[in-house]
């Protein structure tokens, strides 16, 4: 295994107003990953993001896992691409070592799926990252938040906090998503897909 670092990005909107929104579940996962690694986020001098450098997971034999740059863009979701591409350039990280954790309305709450490439499913944060990186070929950890009820607009749905019922299971969902990130980094995408897709 090379020691090329990974750029692990959690998507969301800045500020306490949005912190509990479904749209911010990616940043919730990044907070847990930083906690696991004993790392603290700090404002990056060259990009609009809070970053923390660490190692995640444990390699076979007990060695520390891969080097990672954990990043939470401080821009609004729809313009996440600038911070992501800026950090990738700053740290010399190619798109195949960029992993984005984000909310996904097309899969049920309490479900995690993983993929590389493909469409953005109407997710404006992903669309902007794809445009900025010039490729769709980065890893996505898709955290299910479910479809909006009734005729509610999708944008309204993702900009609302999780329901009281969902909040009971949210820590488990965030923990599972953090596990998925670590598994991708340590064991590879196929192994992680095998574990998490089989749970659906």
């Amino acid at each position: 295994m090379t020691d090329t670092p990974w750029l692990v990005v959690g998507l969301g909107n800045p500020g306490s107003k949005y912190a509990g929104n479904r749209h911010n579940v990616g940043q919730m996962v990044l907070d847990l990953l930083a906690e696991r690694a004993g790392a603290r986020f700090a404002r990056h001098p060259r990009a609009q993001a809070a970053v923390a450098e660490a190692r995640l997971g444990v390699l076979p034999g007990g060695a520390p896992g891969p080097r990672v740059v954990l990043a939470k863009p401080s821009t609004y979701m729809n313009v996440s691409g600038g911070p992501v591409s800026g950090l990738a350039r700053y740290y010399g990280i190619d798109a195949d070592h960029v992993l984005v954790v984000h909310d996904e309305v097309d899969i049920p709450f309490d479900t995690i799926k993983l993929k590389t490439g493909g469409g953005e499913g109407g997710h404006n944060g992903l669309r902007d990252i794809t445009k900025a990186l010039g490729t769709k070929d980065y890893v996505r950890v898709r955290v299910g938040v479910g479809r909006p009820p009734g005729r509610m607009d999708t944008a309204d749905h993702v900009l609302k906090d999780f329901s009281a019922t969902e909040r009971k299971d949210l820590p488990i969902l965030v923990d599972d998503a953090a596990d998925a990130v670590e598994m991708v980094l340590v064991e590879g995408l196929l192994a992680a897909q095998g574990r998490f897709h089989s749970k659906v």
Side-chain angles (χ1 to χ4, degrees):
M1 174 180 286
T2 65
D3 203 33
T4 302
W6 281 82
L7 175 59
V8 178
V9 181
L11 295 189
N13 285 312
S16 58
K17 173 183 176 182
Y18 300 101
N21 289 179
R22 293 180 178 91
H23 225 14
N24 275 49
V25 72
Q27 296 202 350
M28 297 176 197
V29 174
L30 267 282
D31 285 338
L32 178 57
L33 288 169
E35 181 182 318
R36 287 182 179 183
R40 289 180 177 272
F41 285 100
R43 183 175 298 180
H44 194 273
R46 299 285 183 87
Q48 289 180 283
V51 301
E53 296 183 43
R55 287 188 178 270
L56 277 184
V58 180
L59 298 173
R67 291 190 299 136
V68 296
V69 178
L70 303 173
K72 298 189 297 182
S74 52
T75 59
Y76 283 96
M77 172 77 80
N78 293 357
V79 286
S80 299
V84 174
S85 62
L87 289 169
R89 285 193 304 271
Y90 182 86
Y91 289 100
I93 297 172
D94 293 332
D96 64 354
H97 271 61
V98 173
L99 184 154
V100 178
V101 187
H102 65 91
D103 60 305
E104 178 60 75
V105 297
D106 289 331
I107 56 178
F109 176 79
D110 202 24
T111 302
I112 294 163
K113 293 191 176 183
L114 305 96
K115 71 174 185 176
T116 295
E120 291 90 9
H123 196 294
N124 290 328
L126 293 179
R127 184 178 292 120
D128 200 59
I129 290 170
T130 294
K131 181 180 177 182
L133 291 177
T135 179
K136 297 175 182 281
D137 294 331
Y138 51 91
V139 180
R140 299 99 181 268
V141 173
R142 307 159 69 205
V143 184
V145 298
R147 301 292 306 174
R151 297 185 178 182
M152 181 184 288
D153 185 74
T154 299
D156 291 336
H157 177 63
V158 297
L159 290 175
K160 286 186 180 298
D161 287 1
F162 288 95
S163 70
T165 301
E166 290 171 335
R167 283 198 294 272
K168 293 177 183 176
D169 294 324
L170 182 59
I172 298 170
L173 178 64
V174 170
D175 194 65
D176 282 349
D179 287 348
V181 171
E182 290 192 3
M183 194 169 183
V184 170
L185 271 52
V186 173
E187 300 183 39
L189 179 63
L190 288 178
Q193 285 176 325
R195 174 181 169 187
F196 286 93
H197 290 204
S198 65
K199 293 174 67 175
V200 177

